[in-house]
Amino acid sequence: YLSSNYRLALQYLSSAELASQEDDPLLPVIRYYMAQAHFKGGGYKRAAELADSLLQTDLGDAWAKRVSALLIESLHAAGDNERMVAAFHEFSRRNSFNRRQEGLAKLAVESFERQRDAKSAIEVLEELARGYPTTENSRWAFQKLSDYACDRNGTKARYAYSRRLLLSVSRNTSLDPGLRDFVLAMVDQPMQIESGATRLLTPAERADFLFRAK
């Protein structure tokens, strides 16, 4: 019923919870779907409370990932940017970057931007954009970075493409006809290097970049 009638789903789940003992191994699963039902009904704070309490128990990695994702989505929907960002960082620390995390990262960027934290938003966008143009979220992130890199109305751009990102997307030039020319053009522009500094590459660094780029 979660897909058609969250109220009825919540009614059945609540009955199942009342009929369960605290040591019942299915109780965390029941409460996870209760959180899902609250989320679908717009009860984002309650969904976050349930998800947060579940994470204090031993769920196992697979369920912990599901619950963490629901917590992040609930906090984002509730507008609790500070807790959402903290939950996303904890999720990222425990899990490798994958398709599921891409969607959560997009939510994190929105929360960072609400907090006017461009630096943190750009860090997450770079992780997302490394897969450009293979997924919808990577394309979205690449466009967002382009917006940050634009020098609008004579103001200083807030972002310079990093060497790490450009090397990553250079592997996918066969998927986007214009990507090869874009990467080559960026070689002659100030680039963010691994130390965090932004500058033009030296001739030796430029040759190394072109050798390593696909």
Side-chain angles (χ1 to χ4, degrees), residues 20-204:
S20 303
Q21 301 294 324
E22 278 299 321
D23 60 352
D24 189 330
L26 281 179
L27 188 56
V29 179
I30 293 168
R31 287 175 174 162
Y32 166 76
Y33 285 111
M34 287 179 72
Q36 284 271 28
H38 281 292
F39 181 86
K40 288 180 178 292
Y44 306 125
K45 290 185 178 180
R46 181 55 181 153
E49 288 172 3
L50 285 169
D52 193 36
S53 66
L54 281 171
L55 288 174
Q56 310 310 314
T57 63
D58 184 13
L59 297 171
D61 288 345
W63 278 104
K65 287 179 183 179
R66 283 189 177 191
V67 175
S68 295
L70 179 58
L71 174 61
I72 292 167
E73 291 165 343
S74 299
L75 291 171
H76 178 269
D80 193 339
N81 296 316
E82 186 174 346
R83 288 182 63 206
M84 187 273 183
V85 165
F88 175 75
H89 281 315
E90 179 63 17
F91 183 84
S92 299
R93 185 180 69 82
R94 293 175 178 272
N95 302 284
S96 59
F97 214 86
N98 53 36
R99 293 294 176 89
R100 176 55 177 154
Q101 194 178 1
E102 281 192 0
L104 302 177
K106 187 174 181 179
L107 299 182
V109 169
E110 292 172 2
S111 289
F112 282 129
E113 290 184 332
R114 287 176 190 168
Q115 295 176 316
R116 300 184 184 279
D117 185 354
K119 181 177 182 295
S120 296
I122 285 170
E123 288 175 357
V124 177
L125 286 169
E126 280 214 332
E127 285 295 326
L128 267 178
R130 289 180 67 189
Y132 178 87
T134 58
T135 67
E136 179 182 351
N137 286 322
S138 69
R139 293 191 293 274
W140 173 84
F142 200 80
Q143 180 58 54
K144 290 284 289 184
L145 288 175
S146 176
D147 294 340
Y148 274 107
C150 283
D151 185 358
R152 297 184 184 277
N153 301 320
T155 59
K156 184 179 179 181
R158 293 176 288 175
Y159 173 70
Y161 291 94
S162 72
R163 177 161 53 187
R164 177 171 173 263
L165 172 62
L166 292 171
L167 283 172
S168 292
V169 299
S170 74
R171 301 187 181 99
N172 300 325
T173 52
S174 62
L175 303 176
D176 182 339
L179 185 56
R180 178 179 179 276
D181 291 338
F182 172 81
V183 172
L184 289 173
M186 288 300 102
V187 177
D188 296 321
Q189 301 296 320
M191 189 182 297
Q192 186 185 139
I193 59 176
E194 284 68 18
S195 67
T198 298
R199 58 172 174 77
L200 289 170
L201 298 182
T202 66

